[in-house]
Amino acid sequence: MSEQKKSITMKDVAIEAGVSVGTVSRVINKESGIKEVTLKKVEQAIKTLNYVPDLYARGMKRNRTETIALIVPSIWHPFFSEFAMHVENEVYKRQNKLLLCSINGTDREQDYLDMLRHNKVDGIVAITYSPIENYLTSGIPFVSIDRMYSNIEIACVSSDNEAGGREAAKQLIRRGCKHLAFVGGHNTTINETKRRRIAFENYVREHQYPFSVFDLDETEEDYNVKLEKFLSKNPDVDGIFTINDLFALDVIKILQNKGKKIPEDVQIIGYDGIKMAGDKDYLLSTIAQPLEEMAREAVRILFDIIDGKAVNMQTMLPITFIEGNTTKFVDRKR
Amino acid sequence: MSEQKKSITMKDVAIEAGVSVGTVSRVINKESGIKEVTLKKVEQAIKTLNYVPDLYARGMKRNRTETIALIVPSIWHPFFSEFAMHVENEVYKRQNKLLLCSINGTDREQDYLDMLRHNKVDGIVAITYSPIENYLTSGIPFVSIDRMYSNIEIACVSSDNEAGGREAAKQLIRRGCKHLAFVGGHNTTINETKRRRIAFENYVREHQYPFSVFDLDETEEDYNVKLEKFLSKNPDVDGIFTINDLFALDVIKILQNKGKKIPEDVQIIGYDGIKMAGDKDYLLSTIAQPLEEMAREAVRILFDIIDGKAVNMQTMLPITFIEGNTTKFVDRKR
DNA sequence: GTGAAAGCGCTAACAA
DNA sequence: TTGTTAGCGCTTTCAC
């Protein structure tokens, strides 16, 4: 293995071009007031030596790494990976890089936050359900998704979870559902997604329909087994709203195994609007979050914070109901 | 916005502890031969000041950033996001960070490779179908997935694509399929995934079954429309192997719309073994890649290269056939 | 317009 | 065992 340690530095370029390092630096940074000939010489030298500046060395002076971190619970989950894609796009547009921090079920928040302090990332976009605020001491620019922080002043971007829950209820009822249920995964920490359930439930109760809930801790074992029991015990449920699309797919699978017809016997609405659910066999009816816009807003706000501008602490983006084929205007017998 | 630029440095710690920066550095790096009292003093100072070392400043001396880059075509795709998750896990274990470079359809390879040179990442894991080798001048440690490079000596990790293609053919035939087809997305550059089709086709032809292919350029418009036409024109196809799981889901959807029963009328085998396809409604029969192991190997090899060890240039991991419910031993009339 | 030099936060070689 | 100091590659005064 040839250890080709030494890379081309600014000094090399300076020598090659017969100028000082200061001048090279000025060229790199496109400063004005450089004589045409000098510019040419330096550019030529850069080209012949195939020189690239070391951004971290620069960062040491400028106190900027041009790196943004994205914290997600698990990158394999389609909602998060789609979100990551959009964040990456935005970050890329601004010539920054994206550090991916996927918690992956293990307890990495603390570790990652430390790492990020070490590496002086310029800012963090986080979508996490852990009580991260305890760790968040550093005053680093931070934007959270779907998670309000009560104590600290932290910018938050989310979809209108309340409207989403309400809309789901409205649509199911309008389509003739008589017994509604919510299926979700509980989380210990408070977060905005809980509003989905609350708004849904409120609407249903206001309109005096029977209502059932299945809302276990996500980490609980035998989740699917318990879910199946729940569905068996509530055979007359004919309209289900799930906390997200993946849960909806689970529910569909279980109901199919029971021989239920969807949407004839049971109608289902998910939440998120992930690609997978829209493109593939069952076109899931869902409350779609404006994922791309959320990413765009989050990154925009983050950079505003980095640049010292004032920002809205709370940004809420509108949801839309997308009708797939798990809902339908049907005639109910009863 | 309070600009709290100045962060705690080693010098501050040194002063606080009443020692020199050299000593602090030694403590940070857990060198041996430090007097107990000094150690205590320094550790105390670090704690009271809440000091964290700047890894990039360190990197300037050590020529290491402890950062690995992962290049994928698009992070939203479940195969890549699952792979990313596993790579992230491995990188995290080694206390390194992961820079995510998702090409996202646009033409970013060149840009990213430049960025990575700028930022001196310690190594790159890439799963890309572009002719990246042209850009790859820097001699940076590099491991590619599913992509052999002819000219350059580059380490490659892949699943046994040939065995996979063959296995798919074998399983379909064993289950009574009489007319086989391959459905895939073409890519301009040569890559290992092509072997899937070739091995599949060879096996089918050897056994003298009728065979049809649909293998358009992925970027082609109206892909699904054309795919549908293909399936309409070949109504007697009863066994399909697709280049990956997502294509299989597309095929299923189209066939369902045509009123075909799966697996009774048509059997389908995908490739990859993504979570989504396994967990959800249709349990897709598929040739599963050992994704986690591939990630583990790739990262292991990468770090071996970084550490200057000799490595295998070609690592091929075994695939396994997983039977979902899109295949079945059925009695065929004809 | 451009060069010289100080210094960003750290490590490592050399002294003491 | 610890302190001192020279850089790592860059930016940025301050002179010229």
Side-chain angles (χ1 to χ4, degrees):
Chain A
M1 298 286 110
S2 60
E3 282 297 329
Q4 199 199 321
K5 282 278 155 211
K6 288 260 48 70
S7 49
I8 310 296
T9 102
M10 216 156 182
K11 208 162 135 192
D12 301 316
V13 177
I15 295 171
E16 170 80 17
V19 298
S20 75
V21 288
T23 305
V24 178
S25 174
R26 276 164 215 142
V27 172
I28 297 291
N29 293 298
K30 300 192 204 309
E31 285 179 26
S32 56
I34 303 169
K35 233 201 288 180
E36 189 63 21
V37 271
T38 332
L39 187 68
K40 282 274 184 293
K41 275 195 298 185
V42 174
E43 283 175 342
Q44 182 53 44
I46 289 176
K47 200 164 287 173
T48 55
L49 292 179
N50 192 20
Y51 163 78
V52 285
D54 180 333
L55 293 185
Y56 290 134
R58 163 185 290 175
M60 257 177 81
K61 297 288 306 184
R62 295 246 193 107
N63 233 6
R64 275 261 200 147
T65 57
E66 307 192 325
T67 305
I68 298 300
L70 172 66
I71 302 181
V72 292
S74 52
I75 191 62
W76 78 262
H77 191 293
F79 180 73
F80 301 129
S81 68
E82 268 185 65
F83 187 71
M85 175 183 82
H86 290 125
V87 169
E88 209 259 5
N89 273 335
E90 293 302 316
V91 167
Y92 177 85
K93 275 185 204 159
R94 292 173 167 80
Q95 323 245 49
N96 279 48
K97 283 122 277 157
L98 188 71
L99 218 51
L100 178 67
C101 308
S102 180
I103 307 302
N104 293 347
T106 56
D107 191 28
R108 298 188 187 171
E109 269 96 350
Q110 174 70 293
D111 257 28
Y112 262 130
L113 257 10
D114 281 352
M115 271 196 186
L116 298 181
R117 288 217 293 154
H118 288 181
N119 289 280
K120 300 208 189 316
V121 293
D122 295 345
I124 301 176
V125 174
I127 169 162
T128 163
Y129 305 122
S130 318
I132 204 173
E133 66 260 46
N134 302 335
Y135 311 141
L136 207 59
T137 50
S138 41
I140 186 170
F142 190 96
V143 174
S144 93
I145 308 293
D146 257 350
R147 177 99 170 75
M148 292 287 293
Y149 292 85
S150 40
N151 325 328
I152 323 180
E153 274 282 288
I154 284 187
C156 171
V157 172
S158 69
S159 68
D160 193 339
N161 289 293
E162 241 169 82
R166 216 179 311 117
E167 183 71 12
K170 216 179 286 183
Q171 298 288 355
L172 287 173
I173 289 173
R174 185 182 300 168
R175 280 165 184 68
C177 294
K178 299 293 183 206
H179 184 154
L180 303 178
F182 174 85
V183 169
H186 214 62
N187 265 295
T188 37
T189 47
I190 301 114
N191 72 67
E192 291 289 295
T193 64
K194 279 204 179 139
R195 295 175 187 271
R196 297 174 194 170
R197 169 163 107 72
I198 294 169
F200 180 78
E201 180 165 354
N202 283 347
Y203 190 94
V204 173
R205 293 208 190 281
E206 271 168 27
H207 291 73
Q208 316 225 344
Y209 285 91
F211 179 66
S212 312
V213 190
F214 181 79
D215 199 3
L216 275 190
D217 192 318
E218 265 190 53
T219 57
E220 187 127 2
E221 286 176 33
D222 303 327
Y223 186 91
N224 271 328
V225 177
K226 284 174 183 158
L227 176 54
E228 177 155 13
K229 272 188 195 143
F230 169 78
L231 292 173
S232 296
K233 277 195 189 157
N234 295 277
D236 48 346
V237 163
D238 59 1
I240 299 179
F241 173 49
T242 62
I243 185 81
N244 68 38
D245 288 344
L246 249 37
F247 277 91
L249 297 181
D250 280 338
V251 169
I252 290 175
K253 189 165 138 196
I254 293 175
L255 290 177
Q256 275 186 325
N257 287 343
K258 292 189 174 312
K260 294 266 192 180
K261 289 241 178 306
I262 300 165
E264 288 75 13
D265 301 331
V266 187
Q267 304 199 39
I268 298 169
I269 295 182
Y271 200 105
D272 279 352
I274 58 175
K275 262 194 207 316
M276 289 296 304
D279 287 353
K280 306 310 164 193
D281 28 86
Y282 257 106
L283 271 155
L284 184 67
S285 297
T286 190
I287 306 293
Q289 302 197 52
L291 210 41
E292 186 172 354
E293 207 185 332
M294 285 167 70
R296 196 179 312 133
E297 272 303 283
V299 173
R300 193 184 59 67
I301 291 171
L302 187 62
F303 277 90
D304 277 355
I305 297 175
I306 292 172
D307 294 339
K309 297 184 193 158
V311 298
N312 283 339
M313 282 298 140
Q314 173 75 296
T315 307
M316 195 172 277
L317 270 11
I319 49 82
T320 43
F321 173 65
I322 293 186
E323 177 136 45
N325 48 36
T326 60
T327 49
K328 196 181 180 185
F329 286 91
V330 285
D331 290 327
R332 301 272 161 182
K333 290 160 238 154
R334 57 202 198 79
Chain B
M1 299 284 110
S2 59
E3 283 297 330
Q4 197 198 323
K5 281 277 156 214
K6 287 260 51 69
S7 49
I8 310 296
T9 100
M10 217 158 183
K11 206 160 137 195
D12 301 318
V13 177
I15 295 170
E16 170 81 17
V19 298
S20 76
V21 287
T23 306
V24 178
S25 174
R26 282 180 268 259
V27 172
I28 298 293
N29 293 299
K30 301 191 203 309
E31 285 180 25
S32 57
I34 303 169
K35 236 201 289 182
E36 189 64 21
V37 270
T38 332
L39 187 68
K40 281 273 183 296
K41 276 195 298 183
V42 174
E43 284 175 342
Q44 182 53 44
I46 289 176
K47 200 165 287 174
T48 56
L49 292 179
N50 191 20
Y51 163 76
V52 285
D54 180 332
L55 292 186
Y56 290 133
R58 163 186 289 174
M60 257 177 80
K61 296 286 307 181
R62 295 244 192 109
N63 233 8
R64 275 259 202 152
T65 57
E66 306 192 325
T67 304
I68 298 299
L70 172 66
I71 302 181
V72 292
S74 52
I75 191 62
W76 78 263
H77 191 294
F79 180 73
F80 301 128
S81 68
E82 270 185 62
F83 186 71
M85 175 184 82
H86 291 124
V87 169
E88 208 259 6
N89 273 333
E90 293 301 316
V91 167
Y92 177 84
K93 275 185 204 160
R94 293 174 166 79
Q95 322 246 51
N96 278 49
K97 284 122 278 156
L98 187 71
L99 218 50
L100 177 67
C101 308
S102 179
I103 306 302
N104 292 348
T106 55
D107 189 29
R108 299 188 188 171
E109 268 96 350
Q110 174 70 292
D111 257 28
Y112 262 129
L113 257 10
D114 281 351
M115 271 195 186
L116 299 181
R117 287 216 294 155
H118 289 180
N119 289 280
K120 300 208 186 318
V121 294
D122 295 345
I124 302 175
V125 175
I127 169 165
T128 163
Y129 304 122
S130 318
I132 204 172
E133 67 260 45
N134 302 334
Y135 312 141
L136 207 59
T137 50
S138 40
I140 185 170
F142 191 96
V143 174
S144 92
I145 307 293
D146 258 351
R147 177 98 170 75
M148 294 285 293
Y149 292 84
S150 38
N151 326 328
I152 324 180
E153 275 282 286
I154 285 186
C156 171
V157 173
S158 69
S159 70
D160 194 339
N161 289 294
E162 243 169 80
R166 214 179 311 118
E167 183 71 11
K170 215 179 287 184
Q171 299 287 356
L172 286 174
I173 289 174
R174 186 182 298 166
R175 280 166 185 69
C177 294
K178 298 295 181 205
H179 184 153
L180 303 178
F182 174 86
V183 169
H186 213 61
N187 264 296
T188 37
T189 47
I190 301 113
N191 73 67
E192 291 290 296
T193 65
K194 280 203 179 137
R195 295 175 187 271
R196 296 175 194 169
R197 169 164 106 72
I198 294 169
F200 180 77
E201 181 165 354
N202 284 345
Y203 190 94
V204 172
R205 293 208 190 280
E206 270 167 30
H207 290 73
Q208 317 226 344
Y209 284 92
F211 179 66
S212 312
V213 190
F214 182 79
D215 200 3
L216 274 191
D217 191 318
E218 264 192 52
T219 57
E220 187 128 2
E221 287 177 32
D222 301 328
Y223 186 92
N224 271 327
V225 176
K226 284 172 185 160
L227 176 54
E228 178 155 12
K229 271 187 196 143
F230 169 79
L231 293 173
S232 296
K233 278 194 189 156
N234 295 276
D236 48 345
V237 163
D238 59 0
I240 299 179
F241 173 49
T242 63
I243 185 80
N244 69 38
D245 288 344
L246 249 36
F247 277 91
L249 296 181
D250 279 338
V251 168
I252 290 174
K253 191 165 138 196
I254 293 175
L255 290 176
Q256 274 187 326
N257 287 344
K258 292 188 174 315
K260 295 267 191 181
K261 289 239 178 309
I262 299 165
E264 288 75 14
D265 301 332
V266 186
Q267 304 200 39
I268 298 170
I269 294 181
Y271 200 105
D272 280 352
I274 57 175
K275 261 196 208 315
M276 289 297 305
D279 286 353
K280 306 311 164 192
D281 28 86
Y282 258 106
L283 272 155
L284 183 66
S285 297
T286 191
I287 307 292
Q289 303 196 54
L291 210 40
E292 188 172 354
E293 208 185 331
M294 285 168 68
R296 196 179 311 130
E297 273 302 284
V299 174
R300 194 185 56 67
I301 291 172
L302 186 63
F303 276 90
D304 277 354
I305 296 176
I306 292 172
D307 295 339
K309 296 184 194 158
V311 299
N312 283 338
M313 282 297 140
Q314 174 75 297
T315 307
M316 195 173 277
L317 270 13
I319 50 84
T320 42
F321 173 66
I322 294 186
E323 177 136 43
N325 49 35
T326 60
T327 50
K328 196 183 185 183
F329 285 91
V330 284
D331 290 325
R332 300 274 160 180
K333 289 160 238 157
R334 55 200 199 80

